[in-house]
């Protein structure tokens, strides 16, 4: 049976505990809360030393601690066989190894009045500093990390001194002034310079740097990943980077450290170009905010007469925490600036996204205006009238309004009013009951009912008969309707979008279209320009259709020859985008080369429809006008065709540029 053994623990000037050693069980000593013997000592490593039974003898082993383990006056190297009365020193804590408690306590066994029976001469002397946070280093020790800090006390209330102001209060005031300066820094580099200047003034160091991780850094915090944002040095040597070992350790453990006597420690000291270690004392503090580590502050002294103390460590940690907040704020400001840049182009991006959703292709000024009108119309529930020549894409505009409105999750129904007779159109719109007319073998739901909660587009609304217009107007006013041949009222919630290529104002004047229906439809109006009025979109549309039909047919046509593209731009496109699509489709099918040439383009000689407001011809034939009116309209249309390029328009008209300018002033022409 093995002999009993104990460790009597003494912390500072008091005996604090007795720990019984049990054979077969090893005992870990250190700061980690999971250890058997937990020492709340800054100079003690998390897992500092181990005591275990080996060959019938109790053995002490140092676990590669930072400040080492001492027995008596000797540093433990490897394993140490313990003898009764051995005094183990771990930081400021002393542990006495005994086999019998009577060797350390009186017979009374009163733990509250422990009396040491070991001679006082056998124990090492107590630390000589008055401040219990400032240690006197043993001459037998190598590099020592004398202090560690998780939080700074400079941001907590301090005790008043005789002058009425505490040291902590003065340091907090300096920190407050520095914080204001850091908050006003325009960028991270300027903030780093301010922080280092403040640290140089308030700490006993002569070199240092702020190191941060690059943006979007991923993975474990490692010293080699840090970037030097700013550095300074008042010594004869320039700043030398912190060791990767020290940086990684500080960031991993989240503690600021103060280390002295680092001249013989390559893991802590900064080296010059010849490999000589420069630092004699080092302060390293993590820059962290909200559990995230951004980097660290590294300070050191190269002069043995300049030795940083625990107050310097406290101040550095406070500055590091302040820098972390400043860095986070600067990063947020930069993010806001980036967002502002994105917001400035948001209209363009929204137009592009809208164009993709509604198949609207183009970036001309005219098409951008249409896109803006689509966005405004989509935000309301009002009736919309879409106007434009045949083939300009009125249905695509209606789709864009629907799929960007609150009704986008519901159905979009389209009906061409010109494709049906008056009776069939009424049946399509409102539905019919069984037996309502010959061929009505069952009840049919009309487009209005089918589009409930959604959008109904009525194309070519100008072709609707006057009788049907009256019933249609009543439904638009919110009244219920009856199916053809039925008597049961039906009420629906439908947004109506109407489209036409006719001159409705002329139809109203001629009595072919109800005036009240015209005003009811024209709550919002979107005018889609003809393709000849947006010349810069022709090449974009042609390339789009080329890629589309390449994919459908499996062809690999690269593009258009310069002459073919020039021909596309010169053509007036009476059929607008629909005609361009058909021309490109035919060219893709019939093209024999790798590029579409002029010979592959099938273009007509049909006249364009012209603008409604500028048309010199009515629907009923010739209308006599003066030569001045003809010239005015011809010049106006030519300017629109060239995008108001006056030099190009003058060339087409065969007149001088100065003559064109006089005629523009004479006829008071303005760009639409």
């Amino acid at each position: 049976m093995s002999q009993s053994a104990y460790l009597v623990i003494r912390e500072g000037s008091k005996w604090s505990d007795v720990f019984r050693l049990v054979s077969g069980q090893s005992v870990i000593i250190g700061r980690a809360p999971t250890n058997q013997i937990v020492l709340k000592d800054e100079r003690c490593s998390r897992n500092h030393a181990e005591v275990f039974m080996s060959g019938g003898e109790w053995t002490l082993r140092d676990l590669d601690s930072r400040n080492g383990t001492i027995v008596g006056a000797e540093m433990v190297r490897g394993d140490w066989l313990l003898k009764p009365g051995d005094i183990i020193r771990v930081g400021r804590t002393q542990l006495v190894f005994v086999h019998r408690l009577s060797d350390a306590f009186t017979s009374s066994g009163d733990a509250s009045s422990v009396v040491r029976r070991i001679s006082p001469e056998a124990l090492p002397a107590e630390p000589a500093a008055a401040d219990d946070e400032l240690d006197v280093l043993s001459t037998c020790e190598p590099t020592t990390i004398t202090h560690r800090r998780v939080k700074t006390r400079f941001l907590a209330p301090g005790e008043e001194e005789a002058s009425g102001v505490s040291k902590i209060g003065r340091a907090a005031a300096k920190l407050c002034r520095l914080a204001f300066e850091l908050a006003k820094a325009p960028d991270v580099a300027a903030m780093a310079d301010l922080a280092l200047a403040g640290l140089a003034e308030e700490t006993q160091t002569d070199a240092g740097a702020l190191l941060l991780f690059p943006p979007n850094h991923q993975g474990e915090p490692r010293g080699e990943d840090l970037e030097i944002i700013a550095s300074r040095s008042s010594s004869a040597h320039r700043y030398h980077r912190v060791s990767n070992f020290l940086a990684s350790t500080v960031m991993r453990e989240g503690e600021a450290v103060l280390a002295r006597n680092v001249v013989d420690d390559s893991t802590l000291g900064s080296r010059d170009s010849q490999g000589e270690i420069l630092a004699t004392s080092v302060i390293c503090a993590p820059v962290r905010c909200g559990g995230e580590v951004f980097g660290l502050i590294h300070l050191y002294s190269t002069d043995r007469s300049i030795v940083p103390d625990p107050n310097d460590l406290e101040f550095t940690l406070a500055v590091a925490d302040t820098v972390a907040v400043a860095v986070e704020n600067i990063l947020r400001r930069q993010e806001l600036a980036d967002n502002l840049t994105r917001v400035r182009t948001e209209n363009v991006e929204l137009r592009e996204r809208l164009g993709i959703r509604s198949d609207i292709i183009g970036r001309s000024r005219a098409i951008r205006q249409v896109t803006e009108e689509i966005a405004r119309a989509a935000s309301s529930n009002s009736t919309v009238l879409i106007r434009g020549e045949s083939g300009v894409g009125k249905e695509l505009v209606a789709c864009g309004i629907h799929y960007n409105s609150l009704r986008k999750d519901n159905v979009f129904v389209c009906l061409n009013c010109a494709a049906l007779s008056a009776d069939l159109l009424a049946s399509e719109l409102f539905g019919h009951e069984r037996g309502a007319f010959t061929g009505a073998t069952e009840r049919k739901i009309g487009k209005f009912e089918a589009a409930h909660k959604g959008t109904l587009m009525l194309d070519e609304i100008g072709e609707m008969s006057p009788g049907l217009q009256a019933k249609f107007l009543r439904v638009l006013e919110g009244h219920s309707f009856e199916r053809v041949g039925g008597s049961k009222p039906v009420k629906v919630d439908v947004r109506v979008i109407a489209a036409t290529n006719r001159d409705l104002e002329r139809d109203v004047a001629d009595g072919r279209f109800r005036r009240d229906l015209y005003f009811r439809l024209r709550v919002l109006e979107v005018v889609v320009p003809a393709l000849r009025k947006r010349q810069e979109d022709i090449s974009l549309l042609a390339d789009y259709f080329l890629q589309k039909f390449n994919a459908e047919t499996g062809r690999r046509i690269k593009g258009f020859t310069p002459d073919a593209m020039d021909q596309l731009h010169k053509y007036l496109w009476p059929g607008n985008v629909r005609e361009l699509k058909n021309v490109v489709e035919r060219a893709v099918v019939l093209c024999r080369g790798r590029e579409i040439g002029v010979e592959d383009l099938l273009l007509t000689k049909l006249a364009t429809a012209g603008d409604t407001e500028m048309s010199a011809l009515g629907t009923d034939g010739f209308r006599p006008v003066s030569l001045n009116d003809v010239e005015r309209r011809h010049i106006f249309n030519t300017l629109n065709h060239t995008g108001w390029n006056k030099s190009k328009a003058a060339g087409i008209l065969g007149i001088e540029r100065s003559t064109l300018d006089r005629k523009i002033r004479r006829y008071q022409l303005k760009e639409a």
Side-chain angles (χ1 to χ4, degrees):
M1 183 176 181
S2 61
Q3 189 176 5
S4 299
Y6 303 89
L7 288 176
V8 183
I9 304 170
R10 181 175 186 264
E11 294 181 347
S13 60
K14 300 179 180 179
W15 295 93
S16 61
D17 204 353
V18 175
F19 190 88
R20 182 179 179 184
L21 301 176
V22 179
S23 178
Q25 296 181 5
S26 64
V27 177
I28 304 296
I29 304 169
R31 287 187 298 109
T34 56
N35 294 336
Q36 287 79 7
I37 298 180
V38 180
L39 302 182
K40 298 180 180 180
D41 188 337
E42 296 172 346
R43 298 180 59 192
C44 177
S45 299
R46 296 179 61 84
N47 297 312
H48 197 103
E50 180 182 13
V51 177
F52 58 93
M53 176 72 75
S54 176
E57 299 288 342
W58 285 102
T59 305
L60 172 68
R61 176 182 296 167
D62 182 78
L63 300 178
D64 296 326
S65 62
R66 291 186 181 277
N67 297 323
T69 305
I70 301 172
V71 177
E74 296 186 28
M75 185 73 68
V76 174
R77 307 291 184 185
D79 292 347
W80 182 283
L81 295 179
L82 292 174
K83 299 177 181 179
D86 279 350
I87 300 171
I88 306 168
R89 180 178 174 182
V90 177
R92 290 195 302 268
T93 304
Q94 298 169 357
L95 302 92
V96 180
F97 175 78
V98 295
H99 283 308
R100 295 179 300 178
L101 286 178
S102 58
D103 293 338
F105 297 96
T106 62
S107 57
S108 64
D110 185 1
S112 63
S113 58
V114 177
V115 178
R116 196 174 80 195
R117 295 183 62 186
I118 299 174
S119 63
E121 293 78 7
L123 289 175
E126 289 298 314
D131 186 349
D132 62 356
E133 294 185 354
L134 181 62
D135 296 325
V136 176
L137 302 177
S138 173
T139 57
C140 65
E141 293 184 78
T143 300
T144 55
I145 294 179
T146 59
H147 291 83
R148 294 174 177 268
R149 278 283 175 249
V150 176
K151 293 183 179 180
T152 176
R153 60 174 182 159
F154 280 174
L155 299 181
E159 297 181 0
E160 295 295 323
E161 295 182 342
S163 61
V165 180
S166 67
K167 292 182 179 179
I168 295 178
R170 289 198 299 270
K174 296 175 184 176
L175 181 64
C176 183
R177 290 193 297 270
L178 181 59
F180 276 110
E181 295 177 0
L182 296 178
K184 294 185 291 183
D187 51 43
V188 175
M191 180 273 302
D193 288 334
L194 288 172
L196 291 177
L199 288 166
E201 180 181 351
E202 299 299 330
T203 63
Q204 300 180 81
T205 58
D206 53 23
L210 173 63
L211 302 93
L212 298 177
F213 287 116
N216 303 320
H217 176 265
Q218 302 291 334
E220 293 294 325
R222 300 184 305 171
E224 52 265 32
D225 296 333
L226 290 170
E227 296 179 352
I228 299 177
I229 305 301
S231 63
R232 58 98 187 171
S233 176
S234 59
S235 68
H237 303 276
R238 64 179 180 84
Y239 167 78
H240 288 275
R241 185 185 178 93
V242 63
S243 68
N244 292 334
F245 173 78
L246 177 59
S248 300
T249 302
V250 168
M251 291 183 295
R252 182 179 63 252
E253 297 185 359
E255 293 182 329
V257 299
L258 165 60
R260 300 191 183 100
N261 292 347
V262 301
V263 292
D264 296 322
D265 194 330
S266 61
T267 64
L268 300 182
S270 298
R271 293 176 177 268
D272 62 11
S273 57
Q274 285 74 38
E276 180 183 352
I277 299 178
L278 302 174
T280 60
S281 299
V282 174
I283 294 178
C284 203
V287 176
R288 65 205 165 175
C289 184
E292 181 181 1
V293 178
F294 296 113
L296 56 81
I297 291 177
H298 174 225
L299 306 174
Y300 62 85
S301 172
T302 60
D303 189 343
R304 291 184 178 276
S305 63
I306 302 176
V307 181
D309 58 27
N311 286 335
D312 295 329
L313 175 65
E314 295 278 2
F315 188 81
T316 304
L317 181 56
V319 172
D321 290 341
T322 308
V323 164
V325 176
V327 168
E328 187 176 38
N329 290 338
I330 290 174
L331 294 178
R332 287 181 178 178
R333 287 204 302 268
Q334 292 175 347
E335 182 179 0
L336 289 175
D338 293 340
N339 290 338
L340 181 59
T341 302
R342 288 193 294 269
V343 167
R344 288 173 178 171
T345 59
E346 182 177 331
N347 287 337
V348 175
E349 294 175 357
L350 288 175
R351 293 187 194 108
E352 291 177 353
R353 289 198 295 269
L354 181 59
I356 293 172
R357 294 196 63 181
S358 59
D359 290 333
I360 296 177
I361 305 298
R363 295 186 181 182
S364 63
R365 177 181 175 184
I367 210 64
R368 289 201 305 267
Q369 183 177 354
V370 170
T371 306
E372 291 174 357
E373 293 174 354
I374 290 174
R376 288 194 291 268
S379 63
S380 72
N381 199 38
S382 302
T383 305
V384 182
L385 178 62
I386 303 174
R387 308 179 73 162
E389 297 177 12
S390 178
V392 294
K394 296 186 290 294
E395 184 175 345
L396 301 182
V397 173
C399 288
I401 294 174
H402 170 75
Y403 288 110
N404 288 275
S405 69
L406 296 178
R407 297 175 179 264
K408 62 184 177 182
D409 295 329
N410 297 310
V411 67
F412 174 78
V413 179
C414 184
L415 178 64
N416 191 331
C417 298
L420 301 170
S421 65
D423 292 337
L424 288 178
L425 182 59
S427 174
E428 286 294 321
L429 281 175
F430 307 112
H432 61 256
E433 298 290 348
R434 180 180 180 184
F437 50 84
T438 303
T441 58
E442 58 184 11
R443 189 176 71 174
K444 178 182 178 180
I445 299 298
K447 300 299 184 183
F448 265 108
E449 287 183 82
H452 182 58
K453 298 293 184 181
T455 302
L456 173 63
M457 178 195 175
L458 298 178
D459 198 7
E460 305 299 345
I461 190 67
E463 305 298 332
M464 185 179 290
S465 66
L468 192 57
Q469 290 176 24
K471 186 174 183 180
F472 178 54
L473 174 62
R474 183 173 175 82
V475 177
L476 283 181
E477 296 291 349
H479 298 283
S480 58
F481 62 90
E482 297 174 353
R483 302 186 187 95
V484 177
S487 59
K488 183 179 179 180
V490 178
K491 190 173 181 63
V492 292
D493 175 17
V494 174
R495 181 183 190 177
V496 173
I497 298 177
T500 184
N501 61 358
R502 296 175 62 97
D503 185 350
L504 290 184
E505 290 83 357
R506 185 176 300 281
D507 287 346
V508 170
D510 294 342
R512 288 192 294 269
F513 200 83
R514 292 181 63 99
R515 180 182 298 270
D516 48 2
L517 178 58
Y518 168 75
F519 290 118
R520 184 65 183 83
L521 289 175
R522 196 170 175 263
V523 177
L524 298 174
E525 184 178 58
V526 178
V527 179
V528 186
L531 182 57
R532 63 182 174 277
K533 290 188 177 182
R534 47 188 184 107
Q535 290 279 318
E536 56 267 49
D537 291 337
I538 291 177
S539 58
L540 187 65
L541 285 164
D543 290 335
Y544 170 78
F545 290 131
L546 175 61
Q547 298 302 323
K548 173 181 172 66
F549 294 122
N550 267 341
E552 291 181 2
T553 60
R555 301 294 302 273
R556 296 183 179 180
I557 299 175
K558 293 183 177 181
F560 299 84
T561 64
D563 290 340
M565 186 59 69
D566 184 61
Q567 187 69 24
L568 293 178
H569 280 279
K570 289 181 178 179
Y571 186 60
L572 296 182
W573 298 107
N576 291 291
V577 180
R578 182 186 292 120
E579 182 184 5
L580 175 60
K581 175 183 177 182
N582 295 335
V583 167
V584 175
E585 183 178 11
R586 177 186 180 278
V588 170
V589 174
L590 300 181
C591 178
R592 297 181 180 180
R594 299 301 300 273
E595 291 183 319
I596 295 176
V598 176
E599 64 278 5
D600 300 315
L601 302 177
L602 180 63
L603 305 176
T604 70
K605 296 182 180 181
L606 294 176
T608 60
D611 298 332
T612 301
E613 66 274 14
M614 296 295 297
S615 178
L617 293 175
T619 57
D620 54 350
F622 175 76
R623 293 177 59 213
V625 294
S626 67
L627 289 175
N628 284 341
D629 287 339
V630 172
E631 184 181 53
R632 175 180 181 275
R633 290 164 185 165
H634 183 62
I635 293 174
F636 182 84
N637 288 334
T638 303
L639 287 168
N640 283 336
H641 172 71
T642 61
W644 278 76
N645 186 324
K646 295 180 182 179
S647 298
K648 188 175 181 180
I652 294 174
L653 294 171
I655 60 177
E656 297 292 331
R657 166 68 184 268
S658 59
T659 303
L660 177 60
D661 288 333
R662 287 197 301 272
K663 291 183 179 294
I664 291 175
R665 291 193 297 269
R666 175 185 175 186
Y667 295 129
Q668 298 181 350
L669 301 178
K670 295 181 179 179
E671 185 177 0

